[in-house]
Amino acid sequence: WFVTGNVNPSYFSDDFKFQDPDVKVDGIKKYSEGVNRLFDQSTSRAEIISTVINEEASTPDRPVITCTWRLSGRVNVGFGLEIKPYIVYTDFVVDPQTSLI
């Protein structure tokens, strides 16, 4: 779902926020719609390498799950810019009361 936007919203809080150096989005629906539009669905790939509890970033009231993945393909910018494979790290903060991201 990192490039397709095909995500199950039941795992995400209504307060879900995504931010990287170029984008800031509130809500899993806006995130999923955005990545679906951004990435060329016929060529883009996200390969999960690992998913772990990040002991260094976690606290008892703020557990963090880090997903390491490889991104490749094309984005729908200009004439379709190619993305050469590279490694991405995504941190998910889990609400310990609801178990939602």
Side-chain angles (χ1 to χ4, degrees):
W1 62 272
F2 287 115
V3 297
T4 65
N6 186 13
V7 61
N8 185 339
S10 67
Y11 296 113
F12 295 85
S13 164
D14 291 339
D15 297 329
F16 173 82
K17 296 179 186 329
F18 171 83
Q19 184 173 348
D20 70 13
D22 300 314
V23 176
K24 184 175 180 181
V25 177
D26 292 336
I28 192 62
K29 184 176 180 183
K30 286 184 180 179
Y31 171 83
S32 65
E33 290 169 349
V35 296
N36 184 270
R37 280 191 311 270
L38 176 63
F39 293 101
D40 176 339
Q41 298 301 304
S42 66
T43 61
S44 297
R45 301 286 178 264
E47 174 190 357
I48 304 299
I49 297 168
S50 70
T51 303
V52 298
I53 296 173
N54 187 329
E55 300 291 342
E56 292 180 22
S58 294
T59 64
D61 60 337
R62 189 181 176 272
V64 176
I65 298 171
T66 297
C67 184
T68 304
W69 53 289
R70 181 177 295 110
L71 173 63
S72 63
R74 298 182 86 75
V75 291
N76 296 317
V77 175
F79 293 106
L81 300 174
E82 181 179 356
I83 303 171
K84 295 188 183 211
Y86 72 99
I87 304 298
V88 180
Y89 302 94
T90 301
D91 289 332
F92 296 104
V93 178
V94 180
D95 181 329
Q97 294 179 350
T98 64
S99 298
L100 297 175
I101 298 170

